[in-house]
């Protein structure tokens, strides 16, 4: 199944946090198949930019054009959105149910991120890296063209980083796009990666 | 409908895993009511007169204990962000969460109210009005409390602020709920206060989920 094509365009965007202007007059574009690596010092506004693009935060001014329509984007924040008292599978089935996806999509997604064997474990018993993999499985259980990933490499070990690079590469190759914030370089071997540095 | 089912299943599953979360408010309700009974003189007829107020205030306070957790865990683990961006409308999701909250905290209070009322020597004539009143009033407590919980979800010490927000809003529910029982005890028709509670409930069911959804979205601003 091919992903919905999109052409994201950001024009003169300004975002505030309280009285403080994080950035203004920001402009860039992103097409399907592209990956944007968003960098910047702490407090530069990387997370706030992603939150604005996701629709969690209103921009102070400027325009966000060309976001993929319904079922268009996945958001992976600092926090994994996993309830600690539920198992990995129960968490994923919940998100599938909420987003109108089939629960059958859970197994291939968990197999792909290598934690199918842990599916009945309560999330509270998992390591940080395993939780991050479970959060990544949510991106795979329901395919959406645009991924907004905030520090997705947190907690991942070397195999996890390789897996993430593969997933991101496959997503871009199938016509998806991603904006990724990370303080560390993205894993090697990814093509079509552009860099954008936000300055406070 | 799958979204509503998903929320209800998740909330009931979580309740099964953390039984104390919903058992403690029930125990609190029972203890508050029984302590009033123990504090009164044996067979004091005055106690029956206060029974409607004691039961309603007990129910109100025990539900208040659970409100702070209603959205906070979801806010802290990132679930709320995802709920805001999910395909299911956030208002519907909130309505399902509030319905689950009532099933787990309000409904048991309704079921416990009659035996506790007997312990407070409330005459049998007042029992139907008490149970009907609580059946109509406790969902209002869940919904109005849910709205206040949504307003304060991002605040660090909301536990102190919540009662101040919720209690004045719920005063009419308490007045009409306890008033229905008093009317029944006085041989009057309890229908009017119960209709009022029903009207408030319909208003809450219609408006609160969307207002609470807007408040939750605002938590990220």
């Amino acid at each position: 199944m091919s992903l919905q094509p999109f052409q994201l365009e950001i024009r003169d965007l300004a975002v505030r946090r309280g009285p403080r202007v994080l950035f203004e007059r920001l402009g860039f574009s992103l097409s399907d198949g592209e990956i944007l690596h968003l960098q910047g010092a702490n407090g530069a506004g990387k997370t706030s930019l992603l939150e604005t693009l996701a629709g969690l935060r209103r921009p102070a001014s400027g325009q966000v054009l060309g976001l993929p329509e319904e079922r268009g984007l996945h958001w992976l924040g600092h926090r994994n959105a996993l309830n600690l008292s539920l198992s990995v599978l129960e968490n994923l089935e919940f998100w599938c149910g909420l987003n109108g996806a089939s629960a059958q999509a859970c197994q291939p997604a968990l197999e792909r991120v290598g934690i199918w064997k842990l599916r009945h474990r309560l999330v509270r018993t998992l390591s940080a890296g395993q939780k991050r993999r479970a959060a990544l499985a949510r991106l795979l259980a329901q395919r959406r063209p645009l991924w907004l990933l905030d520090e997705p490499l947190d907690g991942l070990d070397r195999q996890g980083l390789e897996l993430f690079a593969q997933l991101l590469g496959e997503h871009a190759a199938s016509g998806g796009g991603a904006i990724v914030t990370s303080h560390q370089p993205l894993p090697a071997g990814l093509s079509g990666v552009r860099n954008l540095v936000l300055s406070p | 409908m799958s979204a509503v089912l998903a929320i209800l299943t998740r909330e009931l599953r979580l309740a099964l895993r953390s039984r104390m979360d919903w058992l403690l408010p029930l125990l609190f309700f029972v203890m508050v009511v029984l302590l009033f009974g123990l504090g009164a003189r044996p067979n004091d007829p005055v106690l029956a007169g206060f029974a409607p107020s004691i039961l309603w205030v007990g129910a109100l306070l025990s539900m208040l204990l659970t409100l702070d957790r209603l959205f906070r865990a979801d806010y802290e683990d990132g679930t709320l962000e995802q709920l805001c961006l999910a395909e299911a409308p956030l208002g519907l999701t909130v309505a399902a969460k509030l319905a689950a909250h009532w099933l787990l905290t309000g409904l048991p209070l309704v079921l416990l109210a009659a035996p506790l009322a007997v312990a407070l020597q409330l005459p049998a004539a007042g029992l139907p009005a008490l149970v009907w009143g609580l059946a109509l009033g406790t969902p209002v407590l869940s919904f109005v409390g849910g709205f206040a919980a949504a307003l304060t979800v991002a605040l660090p010490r909301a536990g102190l602020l919540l009662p101040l927000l919720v209690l004045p809003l719920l005063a009419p529910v308490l007045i009409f709920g306890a008033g229905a029982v008093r009317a029944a005890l006085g041989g009057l028709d309890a229908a009017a206060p119960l209709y009022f509670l029903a009207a408030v409930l319909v208003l809450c069911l219609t408006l609160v989920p969307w207002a609470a959804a807007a408040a939750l979205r605002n938590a990220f601003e």
Side-chain angles (χ1 to χ4, degrees):
Chain A
M1 192 178 75
S2 64
L3 291 167
Q4 175 195 344
F6 68 94
Q7 173 70 48
L8 179 67
E9 188 154 351
I10 311 301
R11 287 185 194 158
D12 292 327
L13 194 70
V15 171
R16 286 176 181 274
R17 202 152 202 160
R20 189 173 147 238
V21 178
L22 294 174
F23 54 80
E24 53 192 347
R25 292 194 297 278
L26 178 71
F28 66 87
S29 63
L30 183 83
S31 306
D32 39 72
E34 286 184 327
I35 298 164
L36 185 70
H37 182 200
L38 198 59
Q39 295 166 288
N42 291 335
K46 303 184 293 297
T47 297
S48 298
L49 172 57
L50 287 192
E51 286 174 347
T52 306
L53 297 180
L56 288 169
R57 177 182 292 279
R58 277 186 290 268
S61 64
Q63 290 177 302
V64 178
L65 303 168
L67 274 173
E69 288 170 12
E70 229 175 288
R71 298 186 183 193
L73 63 85
H74 266 308
W75 159 261
L76 177 63
H78 279 289
R79 295 163 295 186
N80 292 314
L82 298 168
N83 190 293
L84 300 181
S85 300
L86 296 178
S87 72
V88 173
L89 188 60
E90 286 166 348
N91 268 291
L92 200 52
E93 282 176 346
F94 166 66
W95 288 116
C96 286
L98 203 71
N99 287 310
S102 164
Q104 291 173 345
C106 297
Q107 181 174 351
L110 289 172
E111 283 174 347
R112 185 70 185 88
V113 298
I115 55 168
W116 174 244
K117 276 193 268 184
L118 307 177
R119 66 190 179 280
H120 295 309
R121 288 255 304 267
L122 293 185
V123 169
R124 71 168 74 254
T125 66
L126 301 183
S127 71
Q130 288 167 335
K131 285 177 194 162
R132 207 55 174 163
R133 284 177 185 241
L136 286 172
R138 195 178 59 241
L139 307 181
L140 306 178
Q142 193 185 17
R143 297 190 70 211
R144 292 182 175 184
L146 179 59
W147 288 0
L148 302 175
L149 311 178
D150 194 10
E151 298 290 350
L153 309 180
D154 281 0
L156 292 179
D157 57 11
R158 193 172 53 79
Q159 286 95 346
L161 293 176
E162 286 169 9
L163 170 72
F164 175 75
Q166 284 172 19
L167 296 177
L168 203 54
E170 287 166 11
H171 179 61
S174 65
I179 303 179
V180 185
T181 72
S182 173
H183 286 291
Q184 48 182 305
L186 291 186
L190 277 172
S191 57
V193 179
R194 289 192 291 132
N195 289 299
L196 176 69
V197 180
L198 283 183
S199 312
Chain B
M1 277 313 287
S2 73
V4 173
L5 266 181
I7 292 276
L8 287 176
T9 308
R10 176 182 186 262
E11 296 297 317
L12 297 179
R13 199 172 261 160
L14 284 171
L16 281 176
R17 303 260 160 92
S18 328
R19 290 193 185 93
M20 291 316 284
D21 281 357
W22 55 275
L23 275 176
L24 280 178
L26 289 183
L27 287 173
F28 175 83
F29 178 57
V30 172
M31 283 172 64
V32 164
V33 171
L34 292 183
L35 283 175
F36 266 103
L38 290 172
R41 278 182 303 181
N43 300 319
D44 190 345
V46 175
L47 188 62
F50 283 110
S53 303
I54 294 169
L55 288 161
W56 267 93
V57 170
L60 183 63
L61 293 180
S62 64
M63 288 190 79
L64 210 57
L65 291 178
T66 62
L67 291 178
D68 190 36
R69 290 195 311 272
L70 197 52
F71 297 111
R72 187 163 298 277
D74 289 340
Y75 178 74
E76 287 172 350
D77 70 15
T79 298
L80 200 53
E81 290 172 355
Q82 299 291 339
L83 291 176
C84 287
L85 300 174
E87 198 173 301
L90 186 58
L92 193 66
T93 305
V94 169
K97 271 188 81 76
L98 296 178
H101 179 262
W102 179 74
L103 281 175
L104 291 165
T105 58
L107 184 58
L109 294 180
V110 176
L111 299 176
L112 275 174
L116 287 173
V118 172
L120 293 176
Q121 301 173 19
L122 186 78
L127 287 181
L130 174 73
V131 174
W132 274 110
L134 283 170
L136 293 167
T138 47
V140 175
L141 305 187
S142 281
F143 274 66
V144 172
F147 174 60
L151 277 176
T152 57
V153 70
L155 301 179
R157 281 181 292 278
L160 297 171
L161 185 61
L162 261 175
L164 293 177
L165 280 174
V166 172
L167 291 174
L169 290 174
L170 292 176
V173 177
L174 180 73
I175 292 166
F176 281 86
V181 184
R182 277 197 299 274
L185 291 177
L188 301 170
D189 191 356
L194 291 178
Y195 283 146
F196 175 83
L197 289 179
V200 173
L201 175 58
V202 170
L203 198 68
C204 286
L205 291 174
T206 316
L207 297 179
V208 165
W210 307 104
L216 289 174
R217 284 188 196 286
N218 205 42
F220 297 104
E221 287 290 335

